[in-house]
Amino acid sequence: QVQLVESGGGLVPPGGSLRLSCAASGSIFSIYAMSWYRQAPGKQRELVAAIASGGRSNYADSVKGRFTISRDNAKNTVYLQMNSLKPEDTAVYYCNADATVVGNSKILGYWGQGTQVTVSS
């Protein structure tokens, strides 16, 4: 089907930056929206940012002006540039992609395994 592999997480001090990447592979026919979600301990998973195949993006209010989502359609990869990080950004960050696979026109959502982002001094 479709596999999503995230990378780029880690430990960073408050005010620092990180860039997350998520590469999709498998029997991909087409990828539509790609998104980043996060889940902090004891909290529900929440949408951080999303980007359509044409490049239109939207963000959670809590990250507007600090995070930037982008994608490289040729590489089936989505990125999340995170600047001015705060301790409350600490979470596991998950990549999500809406895609079709070869031989099946149904659009399904796929998830990566997650990457830990910790903002702490």
Side-chain angles (χ1 to χ4, degrees):
Q1 299 297 312
V2 177
Q3 295 80 42
L4 300 177
V5 178
E6 300 107 332
S7 61
L11 173 64
V12 62
S17 298
L18 280 176
R19 189 191 194 209
L20 305 183
S21 299
C22 172
S25 63
S27 304
I28 299 168
F29 182 76
S30 186
I31 299 179
Y32 300 89
M34 301 186 82
S35 309
W36 288 97
Y37 287 74
R38 67 186 180 186
Q39 187 167 19
K43 295 188 176 181
Q44 289 189 331
R45 190 172 297 189
E46 63 175 356
L47 177 66
V48 176
I51 185 167
S53 56
R56 180 174 294 183
S57 59
N58 61 280
Y59 298 89
D61 288 343
S62 59
V63 306
K64 282 181 181 177
R66 300 188 298 121
F67 291 11
T68 302
I69 190 171
S70 61
R71 64 190 286 173
D72 184 333
N73 291 331
K75 295 182 179 180
N76 291 333
T77 300
V78 63
Y79 306 96
L80 186 68
Q81 177 66 44
M82 305 185 293
N83 299 328
S84 302
L85 282 160
K86 305 175 181 180
E88 50 264 43
D89 294 318
T90 296
V92 177
Y93 283 70
Y94 297 91
C95 173
N96 176 273
D98 294 332
T100 55
V101 298
V102 175
N104 189 339
S105 61
K106 186 175 182 180
I107 300 174
L108 297 176
Y110 297 90
W111 291 93
Q113 81 287 352
T115 185
Q116 176 70 47
V117 171
T118 302
V119 184
S120 174
S121 54

